[in-house]
């Protein structure tokens, strides 16, 4: 019997109410305890306790039990005088839905660098369990017979899951992970520890239940936009319960869907539900045609069908339902409800923030019509300029077959992949230290003016750095041995620098097509530019600003939850980054997904044909999207590469140090010490203006990894590759023959 009592005590303690974050800090300080002392006693990190007191994270069992006991004892010693009645009056109690087994507590907004009304980010709070449900759970634990099965006995979502205030239509959050037990009982795990009973016996009735009773979805991200459709994530047990395969066959994987004749699809058709053109695959949409402004659409995510690609979502697809609901819920709250792969979500986020149309002002009869939404890409696709089009595009149909376009015919703005042999002096140093730019491509999009409409051809134009477009210009006269840094001319060793004008770092040999940021940088370095031709876009704007800000805020808020704040000192930042992934592996998955959303969304702007019997010269499906814009992708990559080169030049001018290798957003230097602060020119804690600065904000840098110079020389000798790109391997030092192209 004592074991049963211990189990009951532990269960009650696991749901013990904790005081607000400010009160936790007050109680600790009142007793003269330091954060380190509390952390040592509870056997957690200092940053963990700091997060509890800041309200950024919440403790989980078993630490939660001990922390609650500590605070209870301190509250007895240091009580607070009661506040005036007007301030302590409880808010009216809101009745819980009939299917609700855990009631969420409203969360406080999490402070972020920039949060608009449409970008509320909620801090994680622990769910509270009603006494009636707790009694039933305790009865079950002691062997008593309950009158009805309740999912409250299942494991709820971990603490630290945000529950956002918002539209009452979506009070249960944007999504649910649907699972079934051995008895066939179906439950839905939502954000904040909510567990809903699902009475649906078929997939068609599950969709009906979701729209009628589930209260799932997400408010729109912009005024003219629309609310996000509810997302259901089906576990393997749920797939079995609803008659779907737990895994796709080889043929189904190739097709990306199950056959149209599948019995479940027939059931949906009988219930008058439709599927989109992509059919019933890993990310399926089930809908009925909209009536007026009312939508009836539910999206499915099926992890066991590879909906959550491990390259971008790590092990998310293997998580238990409650933990998966937490991961996807945090991503949805801070980015958006996933609508497909991270790449698809990145592209959809652009449209959600800038919908193509809006309602017009009412006419004399009070009627509104749909009109173009200023600042958006519109609802109709736009063909690129010939130089911006990838090979095989219809605008290039007149080119001879097998014609290979050179730099004077094709815009080629890509990320860096450059390396050089080390000098004799660099070989005497001990280490190779890699720096990685945080969210480099997101930073490249920030504040960038891009074209919104069709391109216009201009001959012999005067270059305008504020006008987005593609320019045919000869930059071979730009000499990196003598450039302007600010207003001063400086002498550099140009042979040790990559060219800013080509992805491989080669010096240009004649006229070539460049995006506006690349040509503007040639001017910044002190050289005249004289384009002979251009395709410019007079209809333009800062289309990606809101996209950048939302992803930046999501990234910073999640990294802060992991103990890496934006206001840390350089030393504190390096310490906080050490092992941050292990502090909360689930939130680390969210960080990786946010990064993948940036890169994947930009990549989707120039999506290539994906089979479907396509032949060169024919249109492919992606071309029908207004968001198929290779010129925007090129401009972002151009600016990202230029941003990195500018830092490299300023660092070289101030220190005489030059990079050994550059790969995309990673740069490697030879140094005498193994850490970034061993060679970065910090003075009194302040970095070189315009150079490399340690920090978590997008555009700042972190430590990517360190290897020895002997390792580097040994690898190059082993593969007989004097210019092997160390930036590709600096993180863990592992190099294989395949990595070297063998």
């Amino acid at each position: 019997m004592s074991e049963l009592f211990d189990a009951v005590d532990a269960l009650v303690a696991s749901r013990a109410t904790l005081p607000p974050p400010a009160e936790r800090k007050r109680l600790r300080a009142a007793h003269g305890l330091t954060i380190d002392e509390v952390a040592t006693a509870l056997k957690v990190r200092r940053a963990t306790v700091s997060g509890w007191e800041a309200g950024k994270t919440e403790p989980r069992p078993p630490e939660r039990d001990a922390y609650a006991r500590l605070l209870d004892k301190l509250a007895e010693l240091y009580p607070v005088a009661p506040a005036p009645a007007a301030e302590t009056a409880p808010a009216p109690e809101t009745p819980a839905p009939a299917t609700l087994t855990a009631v969420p507590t409203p969360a406080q907004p999490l402070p972020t660098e920039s949060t608009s009304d449409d970008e509320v980010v909620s801090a994680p709070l622990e769910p509270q369990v009603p006494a009636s449900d707790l009694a039933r759970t305790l009865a079950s634990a002691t062997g008593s017979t309950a009158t009805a099965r309740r999912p409250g006995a299942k494991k709820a979502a971990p603490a630290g899951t945000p529950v956002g205030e918002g539209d009452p239509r979506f009070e249960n959050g944007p999504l649910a992970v649907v699972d079934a037990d051995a008895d066939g009982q179906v439950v839905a795990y939502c954000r904040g520890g909510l567990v809903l009973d699902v009475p649906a016996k078929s997939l068609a009735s599950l969709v009906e239940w979701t729209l009628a009773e589930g209260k799932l979805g997400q408010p729109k991200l912009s005024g003219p936009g629309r609310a996000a459709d509810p997302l259901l994530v089906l576990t393997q047990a749920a797939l079995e319960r609803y008659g779907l395969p737990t895994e796709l066959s080889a043929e189904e994987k190739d097709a990306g869907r199950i056959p149209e004749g599948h019995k479940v699809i027939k059931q949906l058709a009988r219930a008058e539900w439709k599927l989109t053109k992509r059919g019933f695959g890993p990310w399926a949409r089930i809908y009925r045609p909209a009536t007026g402004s009312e939508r009836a659409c539910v999206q499915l995510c099926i992890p066991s069908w590879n909906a959550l690609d491990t390259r971008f979502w790590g092990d998310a697809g293997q998580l238990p339902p409650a933990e998966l609901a937490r991961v996807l819920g945090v991503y949805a709250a801070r980015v958006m409800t996933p609508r497909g792969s991270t790449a698809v979500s990145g592209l959809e986020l652009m449209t959600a923030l800038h919908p193509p149309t809006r309602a017009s002002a009412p006419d004399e009869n009070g009627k509104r019509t749909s009109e173009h939404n200023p600042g958006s890409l519109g609802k109709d696709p736009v063909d690129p300029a010939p130089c911006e089009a990838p090979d095989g595009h219809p605008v290039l149909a007149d080119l001879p077959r097998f014609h290979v376009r050179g730099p004077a015919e094709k815009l080629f703005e890509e990320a860096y992949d450059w390396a050089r042999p080390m000098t004799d002096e660099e070989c005497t140093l001990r280490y190779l230290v890699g720096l990685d730019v945080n969210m480099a491509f997101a930073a490249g999009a920030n504040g960038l003016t891009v074209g919104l409409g069709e391109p216009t051809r201009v001959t012999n134009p005067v270059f305008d750095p504020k006008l987005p477009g593609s320019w045919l210009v000869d930059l071979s006269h730009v000499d990196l041995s003598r450039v302007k840094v600010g207003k001063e001319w400086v002498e550099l060793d140009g042979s040790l620098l990559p060219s800013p004008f080509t992805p491989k770092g080669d010096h240009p040999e004649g006229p070539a097509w460049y995006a506006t940021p690349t040509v503007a940088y040639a001017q910044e370095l002190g050289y005249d530019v004289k384009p002979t031709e251009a395709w410019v876009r007079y209809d333009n704007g800062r289309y990606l600003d809101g996209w950048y800000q939302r992803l930046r805020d999501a990234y910073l808020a999640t990294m802060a939850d992991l103990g890496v704040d934006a206001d840390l000192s350089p030393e504190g930042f390096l310490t906080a980054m050490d092992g941050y992934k292990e502090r909360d592996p689930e939130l680390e998955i969210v960080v990786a997904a946010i990064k993948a959303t940036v890169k994947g969304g930009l990549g989707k702007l120039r999506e290539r044909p994906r089979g479907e019997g396509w032949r060169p010269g024919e249109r492919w499906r992606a071309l029908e999207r207004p968001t198929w814009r290779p010129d925007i992708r090129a401009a972002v990559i151009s600016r990202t590469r230029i941003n990195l080169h500018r830092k490299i030049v300023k660092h070289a001018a101030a220190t005489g140090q030059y990079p050994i290798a550059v790969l995309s957003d990673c740069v490697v230097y030879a140094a005498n010490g193994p850490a970034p602060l061993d060679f970065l020119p910090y003075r009194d804690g302040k970095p070189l203006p315009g150079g490399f600065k340690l920090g978590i904000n997008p555009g700042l840098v972190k430590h990517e990894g360190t290897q020895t110079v002997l390792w580097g020389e040994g690898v190059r000798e082993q593969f007989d590759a004097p210019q092997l790109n160390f930036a590709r391997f600096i993180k863990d030092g592992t190099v294989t023959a395949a990595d070297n192209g063998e």
Side-chain angles (χ1 to χ4, degrees):
M1 184 63 72
S2 61
E3 292 181 359
L4 291 178
F5 288 162
D6 290 342
V8 169
D9 291 343
L11 192 58
V12 173
S14 69
R15 292 295 186 269
T17 302
L18 295 177
E23 177 65 3
R24 304 170 196 175
K25 183 176 181 180
R26 184 194 73 81
L27 291 172
R28 174 183 57 77
H31 201 61
L33 298 175
T34 66
I35 292 180
D36 289 320
E37 288 174 325
V38 175
T40 300
L42 299 178
K43 297 181 180 180
V44 297
R45 296 173 63 92
R46 185 185 191 279
T48 301
V49 177
S50 180
W52 297 344
E53 292 189 354
K56 295 177 180 177
T57 57
E58 289 291 312
R60 303 188 209 172
E63 291 83 7
R64 177 185 172 85
D65 309 346
Y67 189 48
R69 183 178 180 85
L70 169 66
L71 295 175
D72 286 344
K73 294 294 184 182
L74 293 177
E76 293 175 4
L77 295 173
Y78 308 101
V80 179
E87 297 181 6
T88 58
E93 184 175 349
T94 303
T99 56
L100 192 63
T101 60
V103 180
T105 303
Q108 298 299 318
L110 184 73
T112 60
E113 186 175 329
S114 174
T115 304
S116 71
D117 292 340
D118 291 325
E119 298 170 356
V120 175
V121 181
S122 301
L125 288 178
E126 186 76 10
Q128 303 300 312
V129 180
S132 58
D133 286 349
L134 180 59
R136 276 189 285 267
T137 302
L138 296 180
S140 176
T142 56
S144 302
T145 302
T147 57
R149 180 191 176 279
R150 299 291 298 181
K154 283 183 169 284
K155 182 180 179 182
T161 305
V163 179
E165 297 177 339
D167 195 317
R169 295 174 299 166
F170 314 128
E171 67 181 45
N172 292 338
L175 55 88
V177 179
V178 180
D179 190 31
D181 61 19
D183 298 327
Q185 174 64 46
V186 181
V187 293
Y189 293 84
C190 307
R191 287 191 302 119
L194 302 181
V195 184
L196 309 179
D197 274 324
V198 179
K201 304 300 183 183
S202 68
L203 189 63
S205 59
L206 174 64
V207 174
E208 297 275 8
W209 173 86
T210 301
L211 295 172
E213 301 180 44
K215 295 188 177 181
L216 296 170
Q218 189 173 35
K220 59 187 179 182
L221 297 180
S222 66
R226 62 175 177 82
D229 298 321
L231 173 65
L232 298 180
V233 185
L234 303 184
T235 67
Q236 289 186 307
L239 293 174
E240 290 182 350
R241 176 65 180 81
Y242 291 123
L244 290 164
T246 57
E247 294 183 354
L248 296 179
S249 67
E251 292 181 357
E252 291 168 342
K253 288 179 181 178
D254 290 340
R257 64 183 75 184
I258 59 176
E260 293 184 5
H262 194 281
K263 63 179 182 180
V264 172
I265 296 181
K266 292 180 179 179
Q267 290 172 359
L268 291 171
R270 286 196 297 270
E272 299 183 342
W273 289 105
K274 298 179 179 294
L275 293 167
T276 57
K277 290 182 180 179
R278 62 176 157 181
F280 203 126
W283 291 92
R285 283 189 175 276
I286 304 173
Y287 73 99
R288 285 179 180 144
T291 56
S293 61
E294 293 298 321
R295 286 173 56 86
C297 182
V298 172
Q299 179 163 301
L300 303 183
C301 167
I302 306 178
S304 63
W305 294 6
N306 200 35
L308 301 176
D309 194 316
T310 55
R311 293 174 297 172
F312 315 119
W313 286 100
D315 295 331
Q318 306 301 318
L319 292 174
E323 283 77 0
L324 180 55
R326 181 196 181 211
V327 168
L328 295 178
V330 171
Y331 180 90
R334 294 177 176 176
V335 180
M336 70 181 307
T337 302
R339 297 185 183 178
S341 66
T342 50
V344 169
S345 296
L347 196 69
E348 290 284 342
L349 180 61
M350 297 179 195
T351 303
L353 294 169
H354 286 286
T357 60
R358 68 178 183 181
S360 68
D363 59 18
E364 62 274 10
N365 298 318
K367 184 178 180 180
R368 297 177 184 268
T369 58
S370 177
E371 66 178 14
H372 173 70
N373 182 27
S376 75
L377 298 180
K379 62 180 181 179
D380 298 317
V382 174
D383 277 340
C387 62
E388 298 165 348
D391 295 336
H393 192 281
V395 302
L396 306 174
D398 293 337
L399 288 178
R401 192 177 183 187
F402 304 121
H403 175 73
V404 178
R405 294 183 293 162
E409 299 173 279
K410 180 180 180 180
L411 178 69
F412 193 64
E413 295 284 10
E414 298 295 339
Y416 266 130
D417 186 355
W418 170 88
R420 64 170 175 82
M422 286 188 284
T423 65
D424 291 342
E425 182 180 352
E426 288 166 342
C427 287
T428 66
L429 303 177
R430 298 181 61 190
Y431 297 100
L432 298 174
V433 184
L435 302 175
D436 181 75
V437 182
N438 296 314
M439 299 273 282
F441 294 97
N446 182 32
L448 178 65
T449 301
V450 300
L452 301 178
E454 296 181 350
T456 301
R457 183 174 182 266
V458 184
T459 57
N460 298 316
V462 175
F463 176 68
D464 183 352
K466 296 181 180 179
L467 185 61
S470 301
W471 309 78
L472 181 61
V473 58
D474 188 349
L475 299 181
S476 60
H477 64 292
V478 178
D479 182 7
L480 295 180
S481 297
R482 187 173 184 271
V483 298
K484 266 190 174 181
V485 177
K487 297 182 179 180
E488 302 293 330
W489 286 93
V490 298
E491 304 290 334
L492 301 173
D493 188 340
S495 66
L496 301 180
L497 288 170
S499 168
F501 309 127
T502 62
K504 291 293 185 181
D506 301 328
H507 193 74
E509 298 179 351
W513 285 98
Y514 302 101
T516 297
T518 303
V519 185
Y521 186 57
Q523 279 190 332
E524 180 184 327
L525 293 176
Y527 292 86
D528 292 333
V529 294
K530 297 180 180 179
T532 57
E533 186 181 350
W535 288 88
V536 297
R537 287 173 168 81
Y538 295 108
D539 179 14
N540 55 67
R542 290 168 57 161
Y543 174 72
L544 295 173
D545 274 11
W547 183 80
Y548 160 76
Q549 289 161 8
R550 183 144 182 101
L551 289 165
R552 174 204 60 194
D553 291 350
Y555 176 68
L556 292 180
T558 311
M559 288 301 295
D561 287 346
L562 288 166
V564 186
D565 294 307
D567 56 355
L568 292 171
S569 66
E571 297 82 2
F573 169 70
L574 291 173
T575 300
M577 287 294 293
D578 185 20
Y580 79 93
K581 295 181 180 181
E582 285 71 40
R583 291 173 203 152
D584 192 328
E586 292 168 15
L587 287 185
E588 195 280 325
I589 292 174
V590 178
V591 170
I594 293 170
K595 293 178 181 179
T597 302
V598 173
K599 292 186 177 181
L602 294 173
K604 278 281 186 180
L605 292 170
R606 200 191 68 157
E607 184 176 358
R608 301 290 285 132
R610 309 179 74 178
E612 303 174 350
W614 174 82
R615 293 182 179 181
E618 298 177 346
R619 295 187 70 82
W620 59 92
R621 186 165 56 181
L623 300 188
E624 307 311 316
R625 297 193 318 250
T627 49
W628 192 85
R629 292 294 300 273
D631 58 298
I632 295 179
R633 173 187 177 273
V636 173
I637 294 176
S638 164
R639 193 160 185 250
T640 302
R641 193 181 68 244
I642 294 307
N643 285 346
L644 181 56
H645 195 274
R646 185 182 291 112
K647 289 180 171 64
I648 289 171
V649 166
K650 291 189 176 182
H651 184 83
T655 67
Q657 298 169 337
Y658 295 84
I660 302 296
V662 185
L663 181 69
S664 187
D665 48 8
C666 177
V667 56
V668 177
Y669 283 90
N672 261 327
L677 288 175
D678 291 325
F679 73 96
L680 290 181
Y682 271 80
R683 294 181 181 177
D684 300 324
K686 296 181 179 179
L688 173 70
F692 296 106
K693 178 181 179 181
L694 292 166
I696 198 59
N697 278 290
L700 305 189
V701 299
K702 63 178 181 292
H703 183 205
E704 178 69 1
T706 296
Q707 305 296 329
T708 65
V709 169
L710 289 177
W711 165 87
E713 286 301 289
V715 168
R716 283 183 169 174
E717 288 180 8
Q718 177 185 351
F719 293 105
D720 192 22
Q723 291 181 250
L724 185 70
N725 196 325
F726 292 143
R728 184 172 280 108
F729 320 109
I730 196 71
K731 194 164 193 174
D732 61 11
T734 302
V735 188
T736 65
D739 294 325
N740 192 39
E742 295 184 5

